[in-house]
Amino acid sequence: VQLQASGGGLVQAGGSLRLSCAASGRTFRRNTMGWFRQRPGKEREFVAAIRWRDSTPHYSDSAKGRFTISRDNIKNTLTLQMDSLKPEDTAVYYCAADNGGIITSSIPNSGSYAYWGQGTQVTVSS
């Protein structure tokens, strides 16, 4: 089972990036999938997630209104469209998937996810 994140890079403040996460080894169409990030010197934090049952998105306050999460259950991929990027969005971004059965209140909790990608670096310059 593998989650492969890609799409990171260097962008100026106000710019956009599109992160992708490709899943292989099994299908995650019945799993909640999400994005977390780890900023320099900080703990890993929740960014966004999307439930499998109804594709309901969940966002952190910092991501709300700027980031859009989506999934393609046929292609087994997860996407994070990031617009209006700020220097404080600089971080390593990780995609993750739960084991099934996550409850809404646990969605922002990294411990609720069993599968993790390797991370992709996003750097936003001012």
Side-chain angles (χ1 to χ4, degrees), residues 1-5 21-29 31 33 76 95-99 113-118:
V1 177
Q2 188 174 16
L3 297 177
Q4 183 77 30
C21 178
S24 61
R26 57 161 285 181
T27 177
F28 287 96
R29 65 176 181 272
N31 299 81
M33 299 189 72
N76 224 16
C95 58
D98 82 325
N99 243 336
Y113 296 81
Y115 304 97
W116 291 86
Q118 86 290 359

PDB file of all heavy atoms in Angstrom, residues 1-5 21-29 31 33 76 95-99 113-118:
ATOM      1  N   VAL A   1       0.857  -1.176   0.000  1.00  0.00           N
ATOM      2  CA  VAL A   1       0.000   0.000   0.000  1.00  0.00           C
ATOM      3  C   VAL A   1       0.896   1.229   0.000  1.00  0.00           C
ATOM      4  O   VAL A   1       1.772   1.366   0.842  1.00  0.00           O
ATOM      5  CB  VAL A   1      -0.922   0.021   1.226  1.00  0.00           C
ATOM      6  CG1 VAL A   1      -1.750   1.286   1.232  1.00  0.00           C
ATOM      7  CG2 VAL A   1      -1.811  -1.208   1.235  1.00  0.00           C
ATOM      8  N   GLN A   2       0.635   2.118  -0.939  1.00  0.00           N
ATOM      9  CA  GLN A   2       1.498   3.287  -1.060  1.00  0.00           C
ATOM     10  C   GLN A   2       0.681   4.511  -1.438  1.00  0.00           C
ATOM     11  O   GLN A   2      -0.228   4.442  -2.253  1.00  0.00           O
ATOM     12  CB  GLN A   2       2.568   3.037  -2.119  1.00  0.00           C
ATOM     13  CG  GLN A   2       3.643   4.105  -2.187  1.00  0.00           C
ATOM     14  CD  GLN A   2       4.760   3.753  -3.156  1.00  0.00           C
ATOM     15  OE1 GLN A   2       4.612   2.868  -3.983  1.00  0.00           O
ATOM     16  NE2 GLN A   2       5.875   4.445  -3.036  1.00  0.00           N
ATOM     17  N   LEU A   3       1.018   5.620  -0.785  1.00  0.00           N
ATOM     18  CA  LEU A   3       0.477   6.918  -1.156  1.00  0.00           C
ATOM     19  C   LEU A   3       1.645   7.759  -1.640  1.00  0.00           C
ATOM     20  O   LEU A   3       2.633   7.919  -0.915  1.00  0.00           O
ATOM     21  CB  LEU A   3      -0.210   7.591   0.033  1.00  0.00           C
ATOM     22  CG  LEU A   3      -1.432   6.883   0.621  1.00  0.00           C
ATOM     23  CD1 LEU A   3      -1.946   7.637   1.841  1.00  0.00           C
ATOM     24  CD2 LEU A   3      -2.532   6.743  -0.411  1.00  0.00           C
ATOM     25  N   GLN A   4       1.529   8.280  -2.832  1.00  0.00           N
ATOM     26  CA  GLN A   4       2.616   9.048  -3.432  1.00  0.00           C
ATOM     27  C   GLN A   4       2.151  10.473  -3.678  1.00  0.00           C
ATOM     28  O   GLN A   4       1.301  10.703  -4.541  1.00  0.00           O
ATOM     29  CB  GLN A   4       3.044   8.403  -4.753  1.00  0.00           C
ATOM     30  CG  GLN A   4       4.216   9.081  -5.429  1.00  0.00           C
ATOM     31  CD  GLN A   4       5.540   8.738  -4.770  1.00  0.00           C
ATOM     32  OE1 GLN A   4       5.703   7.656  -4.227  1.00  0.00           O
ATOM     33  NE2 GLN A   4       6.474   9.665  -4.810  1.00  0.00           N
ATOM     34  N   ALA A   5       2.715  11.404  -2.912  1.00  0.00           N
ATOM     35  CA  ALA A   5       2.357  12.819  -3.062  1.00  0.00           C
ATOM     36  C   ALA A   5       3.287  13.495  -4.049  1.00  0.00           C
ATOM     37  O   ALA A   5       4.484  13.188  -4.103  1.00  0.00           O
ATOM     38  CB  ALA A   5       2.424  13.515  -1.708  1.00  0.00           C
ATOM     39  N   CYS A  21      -2.076  13.180  -4.915  1.00  0.00           N
ATOM     40  CA  CYS A  21      -1.695  11.992  -4.140  1.00  0.00           C
ATOM     41  C   CYS A  21      -2.254  10.784  -4.871  1.00  0.00           C
ATOM     42  O   CYS A  21      -3.477  10.663  -5.027  1.00  0.00           O
ATOM     43  CB  CYS A  21      -2.250  12.093  -2.726  1.00  0.00           C
ATOM     44  SG  CYS A  21      -1.901  10.654  -1.688  1.00  0.00           S
ATOM     45  N   ALA A  22      -1.373   9.927  -5.305  1.00  0.00           N
ATOM     46  CA  ALA A  22      -1.780   8.723  -6.012  1.00  0.00           C
ATOM     47  C   ALA A  22      -1.672   7.529  -5.081  1.00  0.00           C
ATOM     48  O   ALA A  22      -0.636   7.319  -4.440  1.00  0.00           O
ATOM     49  CB  ALA A  22      -0.897   8.515  -7.239  1.00  0.00           C
ATOM     50  N   ALA A  23      -2.733   6.768  -5.006  1.00  0.00           N
ATOM     51  CA  ALA A  23      -2.755   5.588  -4.144  1.00  0.00           C
ATOM     52  C   ALA A  23      -2.557   4.334  -4.977  1.00  0.00           C
ATOM     53  O   ALA A  23      -3.102   4.215  -6.066  1.00  0.00           O
ATOM     54  CB  ALA A  23      -4.075   5.515  -3.395  1.00  0.00           C
ATOM     55  N   SER A  24      -1.798   3.426  -4.469  1.00  0.00           N
ATOM     56  CA  SER A  24      -1.579   2.157  -5.151  1.00  0.00           C
ATOM     57  C   SER A  24      -1.552   1.027  -4.127  1.00  0.00           C
ATOM     58  O   SER A  24      -1.319   1.245  -2.947  1.00  0.00           O
ATOM     59  CB  SER A  24      -0.262   2.185  -5.941  1.00  0.00           C
ATOM     60  OG  SER A  24       0.831   2.391  -5.088  1.00  0.00           O
ATOM     61  N   GLY A  25      -1.801  -0.149  -4.583  1.00  0.00           N
ATOM     62  CA  GLY A  25      -1.773  -1.307  -3.706  1.00  0.00           C
ATOM     63  C   GLY A  25      -3.138  -1.689  -3.184  1.00  0.00           C
ATOM     64  O   GLY A  25      -3.368  -2.820  -2.786  1.00  0.00           O
ATOM     65  N   ARG A  26      -4.039  -0.722  -3.132  1.00  0.00           N
ATOM     66  CA  ARG A  26      -5.407  -0.993  -2.731  1.00  0.00           C
ATOM     67  C   ARG A  26      -6.224   0.233  -3.097  1.00  0.00           C
ATOM     68  O   ARG A  26      -5.685   1.307  -3.365  1.00  0.00           O
ATOM     69  CB  ARG A  26      -5.524  -1.270  -1.234  1.00  0.00           C
ATOM     70  CG  ARG A  26      -4.999  -0.170  -0.337  1.00  0.00           C
ATOM     71  CD  ARG A  26      -5.535  -0.281   1.060  1.00  0.00           C
ATOM     72  NE  ARG A  26      -6.922   0.140   1.124  1.00  0.00           N
ATOM     73  CZ  ARG A  26      -7.639   0.170   2.239  1.00  0.00           C
ATOM     74  NH1 ARG A  26      -7.106  -0.240   3.377  1.00  0.00           N
ATOM     75  NH2 ARG A  26      -8.887   0.580   2.230  1.00  0.00           N
ATOM     76  N   THR A  27      -7.514   0.098  -3.041  1.00  0.00           N
ATOM     77  CA  THR A  27      -8.383   1.228  -3.315  1.00  0.00           C
ATOM     78  C   THR A  27      -8.763   1.912  -2.010  1.00  0.00           C
ATOM     79  O   THR A  27      -8.924   1.260  -0.979  1.00  0.00           O
ATOM     80  CB  THR A  27      -9.653   0.802  -4.069  1.00  0.00           C
ATOM     81  OG1 THR A  27     -10.500   1.944  -4.245  1.00  0.00           O
ATOM     82  CG2 THR A  27     -10.407  -0.257  -3.295  1.00  0.00           C
ATOM     83  N   PHE A  28      -8.883   3.220  -2.064  1.00  0.00           N
ATOM     84  CA  PHE A  28      -9.259   3.987  -0.884  1.00  0.00           C
ATOM     85  C   PHE A  28     -10.618   4.638  -1.053  1.00  0.00           C
ATOM     86  O   PHE A  28     -10.929   5.613  -0.384  1.00  0.00           O
ATOM     87  CB  PHE A  28      -8.198   5.057  -0.596  1.00  0.00           C
ATOM     88  CG  PHE A  28      -6.922   4.490  -0.046  1.00  0.00           C
ATOM     89  CD1 PHE A  28      -5.858   4.210  -0.868  1.00  0.00           C
ATOM     90  CD2 PHE A  28      -6.798   4.226   1.307  1.00  0.00           C
ATOM     91  CE1 PHE A  28      -4.678   3.682  -0.361  1.00  0.00           C
ATOM     92  CE2 PHE A  28      -5.627   3.711   1.831  1.00  0.00           C
ATOM     93  CZ  PHE A  28      -4.569   3.429   0.983  1.00  0.00           C
ATOM     94  N   ARG A  29     -11.437   4.084  -1.936  1.00  0.00           N
ATOM     95  CA  ARG A  29     -12.699   4.756  -2.215  1.00  0.00           C
ATOM     96  C   ARG A  29     -13.632   4.734  -1.008  1.00  0.00           C
ATOM     97  O   ARG A  29     -14.566   5.512  -0.944  1.00  0.00           O
ATOM     98  CB  ARG A  29     -13.378   4.142  -3.436  1.00  0.00           C
ATOM     99  CG  ARG A  29     -13.831   2.715  -3.298  1.00  0.00           C
ATOM    100  CD  ARG A  29     -14.575   2.272  -4.551  1.00  0.00           C
ATOM    101  NE  ARG A  29     -15.063   0.905  -4.453  1.00  0.00           N
ATOM    102  CZ  ARG A  29     -14.371  -0.157  -4.799  1.00  0.00           C
ATOM    103  NH1 ARG A  29     -13.151  -0.007  -5.287  1.00  0.00           N
ATOM    104  NH2 ARG A  29     -14.883  -1.349  -4.680  1.00  0.00           N
ATOM    105  N   ASN A  31     -12.476   5.174   2.126  1.00  0.00           N
ATOM    106  CA  ASN A  31     -11.694   5.745   3.213  1.00  0.00           C
ATOM    107  C   ASN A  31     -11.738   7.271   3.149  1.00  0.00           C
ATOM    108  O   ASN A  31     -11.821   7.853   2.075  1.00  0.00           O
ATOM    109  CB  ASN A  31     -10.242   5.295   3.120  1.00  0.00           C
ATOM    110  CG  ASN A  31     -10.100   3.801   3.225  1.00  0.00           C
ATOM    111  OD1 ASN A  31     -10.299   3.097   2.243  1.00  0.00           O
ATOM    112  ND2 ASN A  31      -9.766   3.332   4.402  1.00  0.00           N
ATOM    113  N   MET A  33      -9.767  10.555   3.194  1.00  0.00           N
ATOM    114  CA  MET A  33      -8.393  10.908   2.812  1.00  0.00           C
ATOM    115  C   MET A  33      -8.160  12.381   3.113  1.00  0.00           C
ATOM    116  O   MET A  33      -9.092  13.184   3.046  1.00  0.00           O
ATOM    117  CB  MET A  33      -8.151  10.623   1.338  1.00  0.00           C
ATOM    118  CG  MET A  33      -8.318   9.165   0.973  1.00  0.00           C
ATOM    119  SD  MET A  33      -7.798   8.786  -0.699  1.00  0.00           S
ATOM    120  CE  MET A  33      -6.002   8.912  -0.541  1.00  0.00           C
ATOM    121  N   ASN A  76      -8.326   6.659  -8.046  1.00  0.00           N
ATOM    122  CA  ASN A  76      -7.658   6.455  -6.749  1.00  0.00           C
ATOM    123  C   ASN A  76      -6.670   7.582  -6.455  1.00  0.00           C
ATOM    124  O   ASN A  76      -5.522   7.340  -6.031  1.00  0.00           O
ATOM    125  CB  ASN A  76      -6.943   5.106  -6.736  1.00  0.00           C
ATOM    126  CG  ASN A  76      -7.165   4.346  -5.451  1.00  0.00           C
ATOM    127  OD1 ASN A  76      -8.066   4.644  -4.665  1.00  0.00           O
ATOM    128  ND2 ASN A  76      -6.335   3.333  -5.215  1.00  0.00           N
ATOM    129  N   CYS A  95      -0.092  13.452   2.277  1.00  0.00           N
ATOM    130  CA  CYS A  95      -1.433  12.920   2.121  1.00  0.00           C
ATOM    131  C   CYS A  95      -1.575  11.693   3.025  1.00  0.00           C
ATOM    132  O   CYS A  95      -0.581  11.043   3.376  1.00  0.00           O
ATOM    133  CB  CYS A  95      -1.727  12.564   0.669  1.00  0.00           C
ATOM    134  SG  CYS A  95      -0.614  11.359  -0.084  1.00  0.00           S
ATOM    135  N   ALA A  96      -2.795  11.412   3.406  1.00  0.00           N
ATOM    136  CA  ALA A  96      -3.049  10.341   4.358  1.00  0.00           C
ATOM    137  C   ALA A  96      -4.415   9.740   4.100  1.00  0.00           C
ATOM    138  O   ALA A  96      -5.301  10.379   3.508  1.00  0.00           O
ATOM    139  CB  ALA A  96      -2.970  10.869   5.784  1.00  0.00           C
ATOM    140  N   ALA A  97      -4.592   8.520   4.565  1.00  0.00           N
ATOM    141  CA  ALA A  97      -5.880   7.839   4.457  1.00  0.00           C
ATOM    142  C   ALA A  97      -6.158   7.091   5.756  1.00  0.00           C
ATOM    143  O   ALA A  97      -5.225   6.553   6.378  1.00  0.00           O
ATOM    144  CB  ALA A  97      -5.883   6.878   3.278  1.00  0.00           C
ATOM    145  N   ASP A  98      -7.397   7.059   6.148  1.00  0.00           N
ATOM    146  CA  ASP A  98      -7.736   6.325   7.375  1.00  0.00           C
ATOM    147  C   ASP A  98      -7.987   4.864   7.050  1.00  0.00           C
ATOM    148  O   ASP A  98      -7.909   4.437   5.903  1.00  0.00           O
ATOM    149  CB  ASP A  98      -8.946   6.968   8.049  1.00  0.00           C
ATOM    150  CG  ASP A  98     -10.272   6.525   7.445  1.00  0.00           C
ATOM    151  OD1 ASP A  98     -10.320   6.307   6.211  1.00  0.00           O
ATOM    152  OD2 ASP A  98     -11.252   6.394   8.199  1.00  0.00           O
ATOM    153  N   ASN A  99      -8.289   4.096   8.084  1.00  0.00           N
ATOM    154  CA  ASN A  99      -8.548   2.671   7.911  1.00  0.00           C
ATOM    155  C   ASN A  99     -10.025   2.400   7.706  1.00  0.00           C
ATOM    156  O   ASN A  99     -10.425   1.243   7.589  1.00  0.00           O
ATOM    157  CB  ASN A  99      -8.058   1.909   9.153  1.00  0.00           C
ATOM    158  CG  ASN A  99      -6.948   0.937   8.816  1.00  0.00           C
ATOM    159  OD1 ASN A  99      -6.820   0.494   7.679  1.00  0.00           O
ATOM    160  ND2 ASN A  99      -6.149   0.605   9.805  1.00  0.00           N
ATOM    161  N   TYR A 113      -5.286   8.454  11.076  1.00  0.00           N
ATOM    162  CA  TYR A 113      -4.932   8.020   9.721  1.00  0.00           C
ATOM    163  C   TYR A 113      -3.873   6.929   9.790  1.00  0.00           C
ATOM    164  O   TYR A 113      -2.878   7.059  10.496  1.00  0.00           O
ATOM    165  CB  TYR A 113      -4.450   9.216   8.904  1.00  0.00           C
ATOM    166  CG  TYR A 113      -5.548  10.234   8.713  1.00  0.00           C
ATOM    167  CD1 TYR A 113      -5.852  11.149   9.716  1.00  0.00           C
ATOM    168  CD2 TYR A 113      -6.301  10.273   7.548  1.00  0.00           C
ATOM    169  CE1 TYR A 113      -6.876  12.074   9.567  1.00  0.00           C
ATOM    170  CE2 TYR A 113      -7.323  11.197   7.379  1.00  0.00           C
ATOM    171  CZ  TYR A 113      -7.611  12.088   8.394  1.00  0.00           C
ATOM    172  OH  TYR A 113      -8.630  12.996   8.242  1.00  0.00           O
ATOM    173  N   ALA A 114      -4.100   5.877   9.037  1.00  0.00           N
ATOM    174  CA  ALA A 114      -3.214   4.717   9.075  1.00  0.00           C
ATOM    175  C   ALA A 114      -2.178   4.723   7.958  1.00  0.00           C
ATOM    176  O   ALA A 114      -1.128   4.085   8.077  1.00  0.00           O
ATOM    177  CB  ALA A 114      -4.030   3.434   9.003  1.00  0.00           C
ATOM    178  N   TYR A 115      -2.485   5.396   6.881  1.00  0.00           N
ATOM    179  CA  TYR A 115      -1.619   5.365   5.705  1.00  0.00           C
ATOM    180  C   TYR A 115      -1.131   6.782   5.400  1.00  0.00           C
ATOM    181  O   TYR A 115      -1.918   7.739   5.414  1.00  0.00           O
ATOM    182  CB  TYR A 115      -2.371   4.806   4.495  1.00  0.00           C
ATOM    183  CG  TYR A 115      -2.958   3.446   4.728  1.00  0.00           C
ATOM    184  CD1 TYR A 115      -4.294   3.299   5.094  1.00  0.00           C
ATOM    185  CD2 TYR A 115      -2.183   2.299   4.586  1.00  0.00           C
ATOM    186  CE1 TYR A 115      -4.834   2.054   5.324  1.00  0.00           C
ATOM    187  CE2 TYR A 115      -2.720   1.038   4.809  1.00  0.00           C
ATOM    188  CZ  TYR A 115      -4.050   0.928   5.175  1.00  0.00           C
ATOM    189  OH  TYR A 115      -4.578  -0.320   5.403  1.00  0.00           O
ATOM    190  N   TRP A 116       0.163   6.882   5.090  1.00  0.00           N
ATOM    191  CA  TRP A 116       0.778   8.187   4.859  1.00  0.00           C
ATOM    192  C   TRP A 116       1.679   8.155   3.632  1.00  0.00           C
ATOM    193  O   TRP A 116       2.380   7.164   3.384  1.00  0.00           O
ATOM    194  CB  TRP A 116       1.620   8.608   6.077  1.00  0.00           C
ATOM    195  CG  TRP A 116       0.785   8.930   7.270  1.00  0.00           C
ATOM    196  CD1 TRP A 116       0.324   8.055   8.217  1.00  0.00           C
ATOM    197  CD2 TRP A 116       0.295  10.216   7.635  1.00  0.00           C
ATOM    198  NE1 TRP A 116      -0.430   8.734   9.145  1.00  0.00           N
ATOM    199  CE2 TRP A 116      -0.468  10.049   8.814  1.00  0.00           C
ATOM    200  CE3 TRP A 116       0.405  11.492   7.074  1.00  0.00           C
ATOM    201  CZ2 TRP A 116      -1.096  11.128   9.457  1.00  0.00           C
ATOM    202  CZ3 TRP A 116      -0.221  12.551   7.714  1.00  0.00           C
ATOM    203  CH2 TRP A 116      -0.953  12.364   8.882  1.00  0.00           C
ATOM    204  N   GLY A 117       1.645   9.255   2.904  1.00  0.00           N
ATOM    205  CA  GLY A 117       2.586   9.428   1.800  1.00  0.00           C
ATOM    206  C   GLY A 117       3.899   9.984   2.314  1.00  0.00           C
ATOM    207  O   GLY A 117       4.043  10.297   3.503  1.00  0.00           O
ATOM    208  N   GLN A 118       4.840  10.155   1.419  1.00  0.00           N
ATOM    209  CA  GLN A 118       6.192  10.549   1.819  1.00  0.00           C
ATOM    210  C   GLN A 118       6.358  12.055   1.987  1.00  0.00           C
ATOM    211  O   GLN A 118       7.347  12.491   2.525  1.00  0.00           O
ATOM    212  CB  GLN A 118       7.214  10.041   0.774  1.00  0.00           C
ATOM    213  CG  GLN A 118       7.429  10.949  -0.411  1.00  0.00           C
ATOM    214  CD  GLN A 118       6.259  11.019  -1.367  1.00  0.00           C
ATOM    215  OE1 GLN A 118       5.226  10.367  -1.185  1.00  0.00           O
ATOM    216  NE2 GLN A 118       6.402  11.818  -2.419  1.00  0.00           N
TER     217      GLN A 118
END
